[in-house]
Amino acid sequence: MDYLKLNLWEIKEKLESKEITSEELVKLCFQRIKETKELNALISTCEEMALKQAKLIDEKRSKNEKVGILAGIPIIIKDNINIEGTKTTCASKFLENYQSIYTATCVQKLIDAGAVIVGKANMDEFAMGSSNETSYFGVVHNPVDTDYVPGGSSGGSASAVASYQGFSALGTDTGGSIREPASFCGVVGLKPTYGRVSRYGVVAFASSLDQVGPITRSVKDSAIMLQVLAGRDENDMTSSNTEIPNYLKAIDFDVKNLKIGIAKQFFNDQLNSEVKEKISHTIDILVKNGAQTVDLDLPSFAPALSVYYIISSAEAASNLARFDGVKYGRRAEKFSDIVDLYFKSRTQGFGKEVKRRIMLGNYVLSSGYFDAYYNKAKKVQKVIKKEFDDAFKKCDILICPTTANPAFKIGEKSNDHLAMYLTDIFTVPINIAGLPAMSMPCGKNKDGLPIGLQLVAPMFNESVIFKTGSFIEKALEGEKDV
Amino acid sequence: MAKINIEETKKLAKLSRLEFTDEELADFVNEFDKTLEYVEKISKVNTDDVKLFEKTISAKNELREDAVRESLTQDKVVLNAPESEDGALSVPTTVEEGGQ
């Protein structure tokens, strides 16, 4: 049996029944990481730390001591999330040698639940990108077809999970950075509600939009991961104390009387015909099983991408002001005075896309443009949020594509930043509204590239996503067997 | 009409503490024009009734106790500093001799 190819919930059972030890599993994992090295999915690995944790879990198990729900399971963390004892580079030259001095709450929760951290995933520099081509450590390849991008910015996380380097990976999602790569690599990516998971220890990109979430190979795995990750953290004042339901209770339910919202804006002429066909087919399955569709109008869907680029760039410009070559990170070798030290260190340390966003952010924040761009964008954000709120008065869940097209080839869009930004058109409105959403595979195009379907729910209602997602997963799996 | 000129980009670069070659700055003017033209879409959305300073997220405000807690040690704080001395970050002289 190829243990690495099992889902997280399946390997959990194998470990519990002692069919395999965590140490054996972790060793298999590192073998797999070496075999799939050419994908460039990981920036660093932590073999010594992982084996130590695995042995500890095995020891506890052999003594029948209580272990956590992720005990012994290998998991990968995006490299913008701090783990003490590892480097956290954000895939930037600036932080090439940055040593984490503390552990992020989300990772600590995984470790406390017994998870074994095996490596840190490659990503777009400072999470700015949709293709994982802006990493200082090189492009990541899509395991489905290595000529294609894995998506971004959590491209390494998605590529690693799709190539069985681990059973889940943490990503971060500011405008689609978990869902888009999950969609491109044919795995499940969840962006929880804004505030559901603590961001303490996660390097900030756009603080009013960033959220941490899991990438997995099944919907049930996603529910297990969120169960561990969710919750209030006194170190993150934006984390919510909204009650955490038992997410696993939502798995294996029927969809009778479920009201599915379909917005006409999601099915425009820019949508690839094969993507449209697969999404429509999935909706048909749900309807055949008792769900109802509700037609919706979300007119502010189109300007959402503009709102996103204004707000996220403005916040990025402010957040990245801390990288000055003084406190941490790279300092230029030659400079004339303190101000020149800032200029030289930043110019040498940041890549092109990061500089572009800092410039755009400072532009929309500068006097004379602040009202026309930043304040206007914040107002339109409220209009968008209200449209979603109104939509959820008529339906339980929204279904739409994750991206208009499947994965594109490496290099195809890297010289056209606007075309690259447009990749996120279906995912950014969700961050603007603070809602939870999941991308899950719903088929492949004629070239065998995965197609992602996006499920969007009201705030803090991840359960309805798991319920609908697990139903779809089972139904599509059933079709394959016929 | 161009929305941004080379002088403005130079000023922005200075504010951003970034240096660019003339060629890079010219590219920015071009790119910014396209991006700004695209984001202009938001001006068409009617926001007359929107109050800017109303909360978007319906979270309850929560206060914490103002108590002393453990924080990072000095060793950890300077661990990643490019240059440090006796637990302090080193920077080039910022005040000239005889300056204020």
Side-chain angles (χ1 to χ4, degrees):
Chain A
M1 180 186 287
D2 193 345
Y3 288 104
L4 291 179
K5 292 194 174 169
L6 295 175
N7 288 322
L8 185 149
W9 67 269
E10 292 168 317
I11 198 70
K12 181 170 156 25
E13 287 174 4
K14 302 282 180 203
L15 287 162
E16 277 161 4
S17 68
K18 297 178 187 165
E19 189 179 318
I20 183 169
T21 66
S22 178
E23 190 184 348
E24 286 166 339
L25 186 63
V26 168
K27 282 181 176 163
L28 284 175
C29 223
F30 279 105
Q31 200 180 319
R32 180 77 191 155
I33 288 170
K34 280 173 197 114
E35 284 163 12
T36 50
K37 209 173 183 315
E38 74 282 0
L39 294 172
N40 201 21
L42 304 184
I43 290 176
S44 60
T45 53
C46 22
E47 201 160 348
E48 205 179 311
M49 199 171 86
L51 283 167
K52 207 172 135 192
Q53 166 86 337
K55 281 178 193 164
L56 189 81
I57 297 288
D58 288 338
E59 213 178 282
K60 279 189 179 177
R61 260 211 180 100
S62 67
K63 290 183 196 158
N64 288 320
E65 279 177 36
K66 200 173 178 285
V67 290
I69 65 169
L70 295 174
I73 301 176
I75 285 172
I76 287 152
I77 310 292
K78 188 176 180 180
D79 211 20
N80 58 348
I81 306 178
N82 282 285
I83 311 173
E84 196 171 359
T86 72
K87 277 186 191 174
T88 298
T89 68
C90 294
S92 179
K93 185 180 177 185
F94 215 120
L95 296 176
E96 192 179 356
N97 295 309
Y98 182 83
Q99 299 280 347
S100 289
I101 51 173
Y102 67 102
T103 298
T105 303
C106 57
V107 177
Q108 195 56 54
K109 284 189 170 205
L110 297 178
I111 294 171
D112 291 346
V116 179
I117 310 302
V118 291
K120 307 281 302 278
N122 205 339
M123 54 186 279
D124 277 298
E125 185 181 2
F126 283 104
M128 295 172 192
S130 311
S131 65
N132 220 130
E133 291 173 290
T134 72
S135 167
Y136 175 63
F137 299 95
V139 298
V140 176
H141 298 266
N142 190 323
V144 179
D145 183 332
T146 51
D147 289 341
Y148 287 80
V149 301
S153 66
S154 312
S157 299
S159 180
V161 172
S163 61
Y164 311 103
Q165 296 183 359
F167 292 85
S168 176
L170 288 191
T172 56
D173 191 316
T174 306
S177 280
I178 288 174
R179 292 160 287 156
E180 190 239 20
S183 152
F184 283 6
C185 294
V187 287
V188 176
L190 175 75
K191 182 205 91 75
T193 308
Y194 182 78
R196 181 76 291 183
V197 178
S198 162
R199 284 122 19 113
Y200 177 69
V202 180
V203 180
F205 162 11
S207 312
S208 77
L209 306 168
D210 297 341
Q211 184 56 211
V212 177
I215 292 177
T216 54
R217 290 191 293 266
S218 82
V219 176
K220 190 174 175 178
D221 293 354
S222 187
I224 295 172
M225 286 292 287
L226 186 63
Q227 201 74 56
V228 176
L229 294 167
R232 167 79 181 170
D233 174 13
E234 60 173 23
N235 286 321
D236 176 1
M237 297 313 268
T238 62
S239 63
S240 170
N241 46 21
T242 305
E243 200 186 327
I244 306 161
N246 183 344
Y247 294 119
L248 283 169
K249 276 194 179 161
I251 305 291
D252 296 333
F253 241 77
D254 63 49
V255 289
K256 255 185 212 118
N257 302 319
L258 183 79
K259 289 198 200 92
I260 306 165
I262 316 276
K264 59 182 179 192
Q265 284 81 5
F266 292 153
F267 295 88
N268 57 23
D269 9 314
Q270 281 161 20
L271 188 62
N272 172 298
S273 62
E274 285 175 289
V275 175
K276 193 175 180 176
E277 188 197 308
K278 294 292 175 193
I279 306 277
S280 303
H281 173 69
T282 313
I283 294 169
D284 287 346
I285 293 176
L286 293 170
V287 170
K288 270 182 205 149
N289 284 282
Q292 301 155 19
T293 58
V294 180
D295 289 331
L296 296 172
D297 189 17
L298 295 169
S300 301
F301 171 73
L305 191 64
S306 304
V307 171
Y308 172 76
Y309 274 96
I310 292 169
I311 294 175
S312 68
S313 300
E315 292 183 12
S318 303
N319 275 329
L320 268 56
R322 72 183 63 146
F323 296 99
D324 55 4
V326 172
K327 301 180 287 291
Y328 38 69
R330 193 183 184 88
R331 177 181 287 190
E333 278 176 21
K334 286 179 190 160
F335 48 86
S336 56
D337 55 24
I338 183 84
V339 178
D340 195 44
L341 181 155
Y342 302 148
F343 271 106
K344 295 277 187 322
S345 301
R346 289 167 65 81
T347 302
Q348 292 167 19
F350 291 137
K352 195 176 176 192
E353 183 60 29
V354 174
K355 288 176 184 167
R356 182 185 279 135
R357 308 249 188 151
I358 293 174
M359 290 281 280
L360 180 63
N362 281 331
Y363 178 80
V364 299
L365 289 174
S366 58
S367 64
Y369 303 107
F370 187 71
D371 274 329
Y373 292 105
Y374 187 75
N375 275 346
K376 180 72 183 182
K378 291 300 280 182
K379 282 184 181 171
V380 177
Q381 177 179 27
K382 295 196 169 188
V383 174
I384 295 167
K385 173 125 183 75
K386 189 172 182 306
E387 277 179 18
F388 275 106
D389 286 347
D390 291 344
F392 284 121
K393 284 177 190 154
K394 297 176 205 149
C395 66
D396 304 309
I397 194 161
L398 290 172
I399 294 187
C400 63
T402 309
T403 53
N405 291 288
F408 45 93
K409 283 197 168 155
I410 291 169
E412 195 180 315
K413 295 186 183 183
S414 44
N415 290 320
D416 186 348
H417 72 287
L418 212 50
M420 188 72 88
Y421 292 179
L422 280 165
T423 319
D424 302 328
I425 197 150
F426 290 112
T427 50
V428 294
I430 315 307
N431 299 73
I432 294 297
L435 304 169
M438 185 171 80
S439 175
M440 64 179 293
C442 69
K444 286 178 176 175
N445 76 354
K446 60 179 187 324
D447 299 322
L449 296 169
I451 292 169
L453 170 136
Q454 190 175 213
L455 299 167
V456 187
M459 287 191 86
F460 298 104
N461 198 348
E462 283 83 358
S463 287
V464 73
I465 293 178
F466 295 136
K467 171 176 151 173
T468 315
S470 59
F471 187 89
I472 293 171
E473 194 173 61
K474 211 180 209 176
L476 292 175
E477 194 59 40
E479 280 186 347
K480 272 189 222 160
D481 298 338
V482 176
Chain B
M1 196 189 79
K3 296 186 185 301
I4 188 164
N5 58 41
I6 200 106
E7 286 312 311
E8 274 183 298
T9 3
K10 273 186 188 164
K11 195 179 147 206
L12 268 182
K14 201 177 162 195
L15 289 171
S16 305
R17 296 288 187 260
L18 291 169
E19 288 171 344
F20 296 103
T21 63
D22 287 346
E23 201 181 321
E24 283 173 324
L25 281 177
D27 279 349
F28 264 120
V29 173
N30 197 2
E31 277 176 13
F32 267 42
D33 261 352
K34 279 195 218 158
T35 309
L36 294 173
E37 195 186 301
Y38 182 83
V39 302
E40 203 86 310
K41 274 184 191 170
I42 60 163
S43 64
K44 295 197 187 94
V45 181
N46 185 330
T47 54
D48 294 348
D49 298 330
V50 180
K51 287 191 202 104
L52 193 57
F53 295 107
E54 212 173 40
K55 300 199 288 185
T56 319
I57 310 281
S58 56
K60 245 192 356 211
N61 195 16
E62 212 187 285
L63 302 173
R64 64 165 171 81
E65 204 190 329
D66 187 17
V68 178
R69 290 200 303 169
E70 218 174 286
S71 60
L72 292 170
T73 61
Q74 207 174 23
D75 291 352
K76 282 186 178 177
V77 171
V78 297
L79 181 72
N80 287 288
E83 237 183 282
S84 67
E85 208 180 303
D86 300 332
L89 304 169
S90 305
V91 289
T93 313
T94 50
V95 182
E96 303 285 323
E97 248 177 82
Q100 289 159 25

